[in-house]
Amino acid sequence: MTRTFPINITVNEKTYSHEVEPRLLLSDFLRHELGLTSTHVGCEHGVCGACTILFDGDSARSCLMFAIQADGHSIMTVEGLAPSSSSPHLLADGGIEGGLHPLQQSFWEAHGLQCGYCTPGFLMTLVPFLKQNPDPTEDEIRRALSGNLCRCTGYQHIVDAVKLAAEKMR
């Protein structure tokens, strides 16, 4: 018989109470227990960045944490980045209406995504980065992105998207 422990965790501003096994990874808890599937698991070693979430406002790799470690803490996933975007739709000018976060909108406009698998991790890495550095240089952006891997792009469109988002957010 596997022993479980109670946790109380706030995810995307909603509080959850669950019983979890001590070995359950936070990434698996978010995906399988809460159905927040934007938290992707790529490498399970914290190298690729696909599982990046905000943990008490700071970027963190959810595949390197146990769910039980999040007890009493606040988590944000991409689903919480723009809660009003539950039913976005395309505009005639090619934009998206429905409350996307400026970073999400910029990724769309600057073609900063392709397959999208890595995108949630990039976004959750960049939210605190842009908060701390609202006018980053290209070198600073590239350093901030260095912990996230994308197999589809050459990163230039992602860098362009971050520059555009920084402009929008200032």
Side-chain angles (χ1 to χ4, degrees):
M1 181 156 102
T2 305
R3 188 166 178 205
T4 61
F5 295 87
I7 63 168
N8 292 301
I9 181 174
T10 301
V11 181
N12 300 331
E13 299 182 359
K14 183 177 177 186
T15 302
Y16 297 89
S17 295
H18 274 263
E19 292 278 328
V20 298
E21 293 182 21
R23 66 182 179 182
L24 180 66
L25 294 175
L26 181 56
S27 56
D28 291 335
F29 175 78
L30 294 169
R31 289 183 61 77
H32 304 296
E33 300 295 321
L34 301 186
L36 300 171
T37 57
S38 73
T39 304
H40 296 147
V41 179
C43 68
E44 296 184 277
H45 296 287
V47 174
C48 73
C51 69
T52 305
I53 47 103
L54 297 186
F55 187 87
D56 292 338
D58 294 321
S59 293
R61 304 290 204 240
S62 62
C63 77
L64 297 179
M65 299 178 68
F66 294 111
I68 201 163
Q69 290 175 285
D71 184 31
H73 292 275
S74 178
I75 306 290
M76 182 184 284
T77 67
V78 165
E79 288 92 348
L81 193 55
S84 64
S85 66
S86 60
S87 58
H89 61 276
L90 286 175
L91 299 173
D93 67 1
I96 301 175
E97 182 179 65
L100 291 179
H101 185 278
L103 195 49
Q104 292 171 307
Q105 183 70 34
S106 296
F107 263 65
W108 170 268
E109 290 173 17
H111 309 287
L113 52 97
Q114 285 187 18
C115 81
Y117 193 85
C118 64
T119 305
F122 274 106
L123 294 172
M124 300 317 284
T125 296
L126 292 165
V127 168
F129 168 72
L130 288 174
K131 191 174 189 177
Q132 294 169 0
N133 189 349
D135 191 16
T137 65
E138 184 166 327
D139 285 343
E140 291 169 330
I141 293 169
R142 288 185 181 279
R143 268 189 301 244
L145 298 175
S146 67
N148 294 74
L149 301 177
C150 176
R151 293 184 174 117
C152 298
T153 71
Y155 294 90
Q156 188 57 52
H157 290 299
I158 296 171
V159 172
D160 294 342
V162 178
K163 287 188 218 174
L164 180 60
E167 288 176 29
K168 290 175 184 254
M169 294 169 69
R170 283 194 294 272

